[in-house]
Amino acid sequence: MSAQIFVRDPQTESAVRQSLYDLNVENVQAHGGDAKTAAKVLAKTKSPQVLVVDVCGLSEPMSSMNELAQVVDPDTHVLVVGEQNDIHFYRDMKNLGIVEYFPKPLARDVLNRAFSSIIVPNADRPASRHGKLMFVVGVRGGCGATTLAAMSAWEMSETLRRRTLPGSRSEERRVGKECRS
């Protein structure tokens, strides 16, 4: 795994380097500069797998990131650091296709989580739920929709060995309704 860092201050560079070191990324190159510097350098060289760029001090950070997007390979994972802590700015950055945006100062554990999701995909993600919804709609009362829904739920629980929860919107025949005597 290769990584390049284009940041302006040594504190940010140190935090990013330490985080990458924690995850055993050894091929790390650091450059002084920002997103504009990264665009100039990467126009002439191969893009790394991970790219960290700084947008601090740029008058037009979005246009600088658009310029960078023109020269970076689509498979490159780009993380951006900056001074703005604004949700609209964050969403604009995410819409450009970056992996993550972090306002300064950087926290090492946050960087570790972001980098580990790139280096070891699906590491911190919970298992996806496999629940399904099925609706049975009848056009009028007495057409058998409740019976069909109940029988379908039973059949799925028996053949697929899955838990089912049937329910009905019909007031007089609620399948999931609590029984009282």
Side-chain angles (χ1 to χ4, degrees):
M1 168 110 1
S2 64
Q4 288 192 22
I5 307 167
F6 290 87
V7 294
R8 291 176 175 249
D9 59 295
Q11 295 85 5
T12 302
E13 180 185 336
S14 175
V16 173
R17 272 188 183 275
Q18 288 172 358
S19 181
L20 289 168
Y21 179 78
D22 289 347
L23 296 168
N24 297 320
V25 177
E26 295 176 3
N27 187 8
V28 179
Q29 296 177 2
H31 309 272
D34 52 29
K36 287 184 176 187
T37 309
K40 289 175 187 171
V41 170
L42 295 174
K44 301 172 189 168
T45 62
K46 185 180 178 220
S47 297
Q49 292 164 311
V50 177
L51 176 64
V52 180
V53 296
D54 196 342
V55 293
C56 286
L58 296 176
S59 58
E60 295 291 329
M62 299 307 286
S63 64
S64 298
M65 290 305 296
N66 279 323
E67 290 172 22
L68 181 62
Q70 301 302 315
V71 297
V72 172
D73 292 340
D75 296 336
T76 299
H77 301 282
V78 180
L79 284 87
V80 179
V81 295
E83 45 198 19
Q84 294 188 37
N85 192 2
D86 175 44
I87 188 66
H88 299 292
F89 184 75
Y90 172 82
R91 288 180 181 154
D92 289 343
M93 283 288 172
K94 291 291 277 186
N95 286 336
L96 286 175
I98 69 162
V99 173
E100 196 59 70
Y101 170 79
F102 297 110
K104 291 181 182 181
L106 301 178
R108 190 168 164 185
D109 61 325
V110 175
L111 283 173
N112 282 350
R113 266 186 270 138
F115 286 134
S116 67
S117 70
I118 294 168
I119 295 167
V120 185
N122 301 327
D124 291 334
R125 295 187 183 122
S128 62
R129 298 180 63 182
H130 297 288
K132 306 283 187 240
L133 291 176
M134 183 175 92
F135 293 96
V136 178
V137 180
V139 293
R140 63 179 177 83
C143 70
T146 301
T147 302
L148 181 62
M151 295 308 295
S152 296
W154 179 82
E155 181 68 22
M156 285 189 281
S157 70
E158 291 296 313
T159 59
L160 301 175
R161 297 285 186 224
R162 300 287 305 261
R163 288 180 283 164
T164 60
L165 177 64
S168 175
R169 295 288 299 168
S170 171
E171 287 299 319
E172 58 275 354
R173 290 193 185 99
R174 233 179 244 249
V175 176
K177 189 176 179 181
E178 190 178 315
C179 296
R180 295 181 187 212
S181 45

